[in-house]
Amino acid sequence: MMLSLRFKLSLATIFFLASSSFAAQTTDKLDDSILSKKRLEIFDLSKEQIEEDSSKLKKDWINPIMYTYSKVYGETYDTEKSLVSIDQPIFKAGGIYKAIKYANATRLYSHLDLDLQKKALIKDTTTLLFNIHKLILEIKKQELLVKNGQIDIQRKKEQVFNGFADTSVLDTAILDTNTSKNALAELVYQKEELINQFNTYAEGDYTSFELPKFKLLEKESFIKNNLNILKSKADISSKNDYTWMTISKYLPTVSATFDYTKYHDSNNPTINIDQSVQNYGIKVTMPLDTRTYNDIQSTRIDYLKAKLDFDNVILEQENFFKSKLSKIKMIDSKITIAKDDYELYNSLLDVIVEEKEAELKTQSDVDTLLNSKKIRELELKILSIEKQIELLEIYSKIS
């Protein structure tokens, strides 16, 4: 019985080991430290660019101050002068206010879009990290299958030599084991391939990173913080503001004007170069364009499309969440099955060990069953990683 107790390991302990295949930390967000510094710098520069573009857009209603220098050569006199001209709208029927709002909405939309791109890259890189660790476990599992195959070959050899089986039985065992060896070689290759892909995006070797551990979100929290939905809201806001900007473009605009003319050295006796000319005033303009209605309607249609698309985005994200929940439930079912298998192998191993001590079974029988039990342990860890990958997909969608 002492030998039996040596192999005994509780299911709770195994499940703990499966969970511990990740880092001890539980997180509710994606960690961007997994990305290389250069890739993070690109995102930082993109953020700066968004801010600059937004600041520029806010100032689009402000006209530049125009400076003109000219020198005219005449038959009798030459004229050289400088002209400073200002033509600045001070009222555009709400267009100035909407232009500033449009700039802010566009800024928010651009930041959310960039955040989605960044999270997608973090998610892809973290998924590679998960899959590397998953392959390491699958390699260990395949090595145990190869060991069991080699034990089976040895058993079949003894049966053939003792006349209890023909050679076809041995051939089948050899072919099955070779298939397992080929599968092992393929897994080793896949692991190296994934490591190379990981190194393309990550900052450092995969062994320097701990696997995050995510918990399941509530649907309400997923929808409330969903980046795609927030981005769609920002799109509606920007298109609404742009519609009003378009309308104001065809309404009266009040502008302040100012001209300052300074004459330089001139041989024209009618011009006093010590004097300057200043003109200022108010100007009201209103375009009469046959395309006004079409332009306004086009922007309104864009706004209506954005509102309809918002409902589609919510539906897409709700169904995405449902699909992930279904996948997680399926993985949980597999985990339950693997736990039951483990318990079964545990109980069988106790019996086989006792029969081996009574010389009713051989050591190879014990080794085969022990390897099979270890395979179930590895499967629990593999399934835990698969579950975390699905949760990672969910977390890549939220702010």
Side-chain angles (χ1 to χ4, degrees), residues 181-276:
K181 288 180 179 178
N182 288 330
L184 176 60
E186 181 69 24
L187 289 172
V188 172
Y189 162 74
Q190 289 177 18
K191 176 193 166 188
E192 295 304 317
E193 189 177 33
L194 284 184
I195 290 172
N196 291 334
Q197 290 179 31
F198 179 80
N199 291 338
T200 303
Y201 303 103
E203 181 69 22
D205 188 79
Y206 81 93
T207 56
S208 63
F209 295 97
E210 292 183 336
L211 286 175
K213 190 174 183 205
F214 301 102
K215 58 185 179 181
L216 186 60
L217 283 174
E218 294 291 333
K219 180 184 175 182
E220 291 76 14
S221 178
F222 175 77
I223 296 299
K224 180 182 177 182
N225 300 293
N226 189 280
L227 282 169
N228 287 284
I229 294 174
L230 294 173
K231 178 183 166 185
S232 185
K233 281 183 180 178
D235 189 39
I236 292 172
S237 180
S238 67
K239 283 183 168 60
N240 182 44
D241 292 330
Y242 188 72
T243 298
W244 284 105
M245 282 174 59
T246 304
I247 292 171
S248 69
K249 188 170 65 173
Y250 298 102
L251 296 176
T253 299
V254 180
S255 303
T257 62
F258 174 79
D259 293 328
Y260 174 82
T261 305
K262 172 69 176 176
Y263 290 94
H264 303 290
D265 293 340
S266 174
N267 58 5
N268 187 342
T270 64
I271 297 176
N272 183 356
I273 61 173
D274 293 329
Q275 292 182 347
S276 59

Side-chain angles (χ1 to χ4, degrees), residues 232 236 303-313:
S232 185
I236 292 172
Y303 169 64
L304 292 174
K305 284 165 61 180
K307 288 182 72 176
L308 290 172
D309 189 56
F310 177 69
D311 294 333
N312 290 331
V313 170

Side-chain angles (χ1 to χ4, degrees), residues 37-53 110-111 114 118:
K37 289 180 181 178
K38 287 186 178 179
R39 292 188 182 275
L40 289 174
E41 284 174 7
I42 291 173
F43 283 111
D44 289 339
L45 288 172
S46 295
K47 283 183 180 179
E48 288 183 29
Q49 187 176 20
I50 289 170
E51 293 298 324
E52 295 300 328
D53 288 343
S110 298
H111 274 298
L114 183 65
K118 184 177 180 181

